[in-house]
């Protein structure tokens, strides 16, 4: 087989990212890769120039490529921004020149950089500032707020991380907050990112009273007491962002500086590509925040490539394609693009806003809600699919997952054949036979593996919401894989039920063990047979997520011609005890052939 002949057509578009010109660096890289591939094949080609010396050679350690054709290698060479050799050590060292940086792995593991299939860098950087409320109890949360307020005596107080299991079914109240924060606004995001706890001064400043209308009645609203007064518990994005913006207006400058401060942490976690699953709008313009990624890229500060999305969280839905198209046309750089319509199909089980098929076990008069009617679902998904774009659906509840699959199936029947990458995310519980439909329809099942532990929130709050037998059927990744479906992983940072993390290694460990980190003898979340192997979890967080966001031809595995997105880990996560994966350190992160983290 002529490898060089097979690769040659791809070089016409090598490095092209919304521009028709090729840079000198790209041309040199393409030449080097072409020669390296030719050396491995045997076909009649015209003699070319001598191969350029590699910029980097990695040797003397296990190299996990995530390629099914050759999962392991001895050495990798990088020339320019691309991988120019994968194979034995002699072949890689033959490309070394006087200026080549030869990296002795010393037994450390080299693998592809992580591709986050669902994460919120802007929201994460924004929400997680202030007081950390990832503490055991509601009383501990109030004590933390009181302490933080005394240490920071001026202005509004904010924080992140309280959980619904800290409070009763009616949620937290402003009365409790007022005791520790009586004289200035305070608002605190729940760990799920879908609800807010506010004190009386915050409600007053935002103008929220008993006469205030709920943004989306029954879905995004202000919880009220028996007299109709807001309790301080605010549910879902529309109501939450409205209150926050009234107290601390969301500005591009603030969001940009917070996001850029987080970027080194992303590199230290081994992240080299992300799917941004939705940004808060500046005014009505989601593109204003997405453009900040391109601004960071222009400064050389963006250490990962971004595929962003345009979010639709309420009706009307008939302008979604036009809005996505406008943002795509505005933002297209080497590292930043816009690739999907994010459909916020429901809420979360904690706030009874996830859309279920059967009623909540502890609230039998409710099945939750979606902000869209079924007709709007079919119109939205059908329009996006007809325009050649992908949908990425937030679906915590099983009725949302089914409705999304139904809408995709209808769109496939109505529209011409094409390469579709529709995705349904979260999938806390999926009612049979819907798990099998992912493979049948070619829909990616996107999971947040760091949610998959038998943690206090899951075994108390979530179990109460679902009851038997549903509470023992959460997050069934293997059911999707066994039926021929694809999965991807993403932390959904900052959102979580119990453990918020942006670190893929944390997520991989929990997906493999279905146990809380740091407790090897902890309970395993049922059903235990849904545990992923380490190889499956790594694939889902590299090549699987890359496929989801249409980058699998560029990243996600270590193969000649792909972009040089690689990480070095101080231990081989495919060989160690899976309970120790979270302790593994990322000692180097390279993106696009540039070292973005060393430590």
């Amino acid at each position: 087989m002529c490898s060089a002949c097979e690769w040659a057509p791809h070089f016409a578009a090598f490095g092209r990212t919304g521009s028709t010109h090729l840079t000198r660096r790209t041309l040199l890289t393409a030449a080097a890769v072409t020669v390296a591939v030719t050396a491995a094949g045997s076909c009649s080609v015209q003699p070319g120039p001598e191969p350029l010396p590699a910029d980097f050679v990695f040797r003397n350690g296990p190299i996990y490529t995530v390629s099914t054709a050759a999962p392991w290698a001895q050495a990798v060479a990088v020339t320019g921004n691309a991988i120019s050799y994968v194979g034995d050590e002699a072949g890689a060292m033959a490309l070394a020149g006087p200026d080549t940086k030869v990296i002795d792995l010393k037994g450390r593991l080299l693998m592809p950089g992580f591709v986050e299939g669902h994460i919120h860098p802007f929201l994460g950087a924004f929400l997680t500032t202030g007081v950390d409320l990832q503490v055991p109890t509601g009383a501990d949360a109030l004590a933390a707020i009181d302490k933080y307020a005394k240490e920071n005596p001026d202005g509004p107080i904010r924080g992140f991380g309280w959980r619904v299991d800290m409070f009763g079914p009616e949620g937290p109240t402003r009365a409790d907050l007022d005791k520790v924060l009586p004289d200035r606004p305070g608002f605190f995001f729940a760990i799920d990112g879908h609800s807010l706890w506010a004190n009386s001064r915050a409600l007053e400043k935002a103008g929220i009273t008993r006469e205030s209308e709920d943004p989306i009645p029954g879905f995004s609203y202000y919880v009220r007491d028996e007299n109709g007064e807001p309790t301080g518990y605010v549910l879902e994005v529309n109501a939450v962002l409205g209150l926050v913006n009234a107290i601390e207006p969301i500005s591009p400058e603030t969001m940009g500086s917070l996001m850029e401060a987080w970027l080194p942490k992303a590199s230290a976690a081994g992240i080299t590509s992300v799917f941004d699953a939705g940004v808060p709008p500046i005014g009505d313009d989601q593109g204003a925040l997405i453009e900040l990624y391109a601004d960071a890229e222009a400064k050389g500060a963006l250490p990962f490539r971004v595929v962003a999305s345009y979010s639709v969280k309420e009706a009307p839905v008939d302008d979604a394609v036009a809005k996505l198209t406008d943002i795509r046309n505005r933002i297209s750089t080497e590292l930043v693009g816009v690739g999907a319509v994010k459909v916020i199909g429901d809420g979360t089980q904690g706030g009874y806003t996830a859309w279920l098929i059967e009623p909540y076990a502890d609230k039998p008069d409710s099945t939750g809600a979606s902000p869209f009617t079924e007709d709007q679902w079919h119109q939205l998904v059908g329009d996006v699919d007809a325009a050649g774009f992908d949908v990425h659906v937030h679906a915590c509840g099983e009725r949302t997952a089914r409705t999304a699959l139904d809408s995709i199936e209808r769109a496939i029947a109505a529209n011409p054949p094409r390469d579709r990458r529709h995705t349904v995310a979260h999938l806390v519980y999926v009612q049979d036979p819907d798990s099998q439909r992912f493979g049948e329809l070619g829909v990616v099942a996107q999971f947040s593996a760091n949610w998959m532990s038998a943690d206090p929130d899951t075994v108390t709050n979530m179990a109460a919401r679902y009851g038997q037998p549903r509470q023992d059927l959460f997050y069934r990744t293997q059911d999707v894989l066994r039926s021929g479906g694809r999965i991807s992983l993403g932390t959904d940072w900052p959102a979580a039920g119990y453990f918020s993390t942006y670190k893929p290694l944390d997520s991989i460990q929990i997906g493999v063990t279905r146990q809380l980190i740091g407790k090897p003898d902890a309970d395993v979340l049922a059903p235990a047979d849904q545990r992923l192997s380490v190889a499956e979890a790594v694939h889902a967080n590299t090549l699987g997520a890359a496929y989801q966001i249409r980058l699998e031809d560029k990243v996600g595995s270590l193969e000649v011609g792909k972009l040089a997105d690689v990480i070095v880990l101080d231990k081989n996560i495919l060989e160690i005890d899976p309970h120790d994966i979270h302790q593994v350190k990322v000692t180097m992160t390279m993106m696009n052939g540039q070292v973005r983290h060393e430590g």
Side-chain angles (χ1 to χ4, degrees), residues 229-423:
E229 296 288 344
T231 65
Y233 187 22
V234 183
L235 288 165
E236 294 305 328
V237 174
N238 297 65
V240 167
L241 288 181
L243 185 147
V244 172
N245 205 38
I247 298 170
E248 288 189 344
I250 301 170
S251 71
E253 294 76 18
T254 298
M255 297 294 280
S257 61
L258 290 171
M259 187 273 293
E260 287 194 25
W262 175 74
L263 293 178
K265 297 180 182 179
S267 288
I271 298 171
T272 54
S273 296
V274 305
F275 174 69
D276 187 319
V279 300
I282 302 297
D284 292 325
D285 185 9
Q286 297 178 35
L289 276 193
I290 298 172
E291 284 179 322
L292 296 179
Y293 284 126
D295 292 345
E297 178 186 0
K299 294 185 289 186
L302 188 65
F304 48 65
R305 63 196 80 252
V306 181
V307 175
S309 59
Y310 171 74
S311 295
V312 181
K313 58 183 183 298
E314 61 183 325
V317 300
D318 53 2
D319 63 348
V321 170
K323 291 287 184 66
L324 173 65
T325 303
D326 172 65
I327 297 175
R328 279 173 62 98
N329 291 341
R330 286 161 48 191
I331 306 166
S332 180
T333 71
E334 181 182 2
L335 297 181
V336 185
V338 184
V341 170
K342 165 75 178 295
V343 181
I344 302 179
D346 65 353
T348 65
Q349 284 81 357
Y352 299 98
T353 52
W355 197 24
L356 311 189
I357 293 174
E358 302 295 334
Y360 285 92
D362 59 347
K363 195 174 183 180
D365 60 341
S366 175
T367 56
S370 170
F372 310 111
T373 66
E374 291 207 24
D375 285 344
Q376 289 168 340
W377 270 99
H378 295 318
Q379 178 188 351
L380 175 58
V381 175
D383 288 352
V384 173
D385 183 82
F389 299 131
D390 300 323
V391 293
H392 185 104
V393 180
H394 167 109
C396 279
E398 67 274 11
R399 186 171 180 185
T400 311
R402 177 168 294 176
T403 302
L405 292 169
D406 289 346
S407 300
I408 292 168
E409 185 171 35
R410 179 180 291 198
I412 291 171
N415 298 325
R418 67 179 181 88
D419 178 18
R420 293 176 166 89
R421 307 290 176 92
H422 298 310
T423 301

Side-chain angles (χ1 to χ4, degrees), residues 497-537:
Y498 185 80
F499 177 60
S500 177
T501 182
Y502 56 82
K503 299 177 180 179
L505 287 170
D506 291 343
S507 183
I508 286 170
Q509 175 173 323
I510 296 176
V512 170
T513 65
R514 292 175 74 93
Q515 295 171 288
L516 269 177
I517 281 177
K519 298 183 179 181
D521 58 347
D523 290 340
V524 175
L525 182 67
D529 68 352
Q530 299 298 312
R531 286 179 290 200
L532 296 168
S533 69
V534 176
E536 287 169 337

Side-chain angles (χ1 to χ4, degrees), residues 192-209:
D192 65 9
H194 283 253
S195 49
L196 192 77
W197 180 18
N199 70 351
S200 295
R201 291 301 296 273
L203 294 173
E204 290 169 10
K205 186 163 185 178
I208 297 168
T209 68

Side-chain angles (χ1 to χ4, degrees), residues 132-141 161-167 456 498:
D132 184 0
L133 299 180
Q134 296 186 71
V135 293
T137 69
D140 293 326
W162 61 268
R163 306 181 310 279
V164 293
D165 64 280
M166 293 176 172
F167 308 97
Y498 185 80

Side-chain angles (χ1 to χ4, degrees), residues 454-540:
D455 56 70
D457 177 68
T458 302
V459 300
T460 55
N461 178 60
M462 293 288 288
R465 297 293 187 270
Y466 272 108
Q468 292 286 3
R470 295 178 295 180
Q471 70 185 63
D472 292 328
L473 296 170
F474 294 156
Y475 308 114
R476 288 183 288 167
T477 52
Q478 288 292 352
D479 283 2
V480 174
L481 291 174
R482 290 165 186 160
S483 65
R486 297 175 183 266
I487 68 170
S488 79
L489 293 187
T491 60
D492 198 22
W493 183 73
Y498 185 80
F499 177 60
S500 177
T501 182
Y502 56 82
K503 299 177 180 179
L505 287 170
D506 291 343
S507 183
I508 286 170
Q509 175 173 323
I510 296 176
V512 170
T513 65
R514 292 175 74 93
Q515 295 171 288
L516 269 177
I517 281 177
K519 298 183 179 181
D521 58 347
D523 290 340
V524 175
L525 182 67
D529 68 352
Q530 299 298 312
R531 286 179 290 200
L532 296 168
S533 69
V534 176
E536 287 169 337
V538 168
H539 184 280

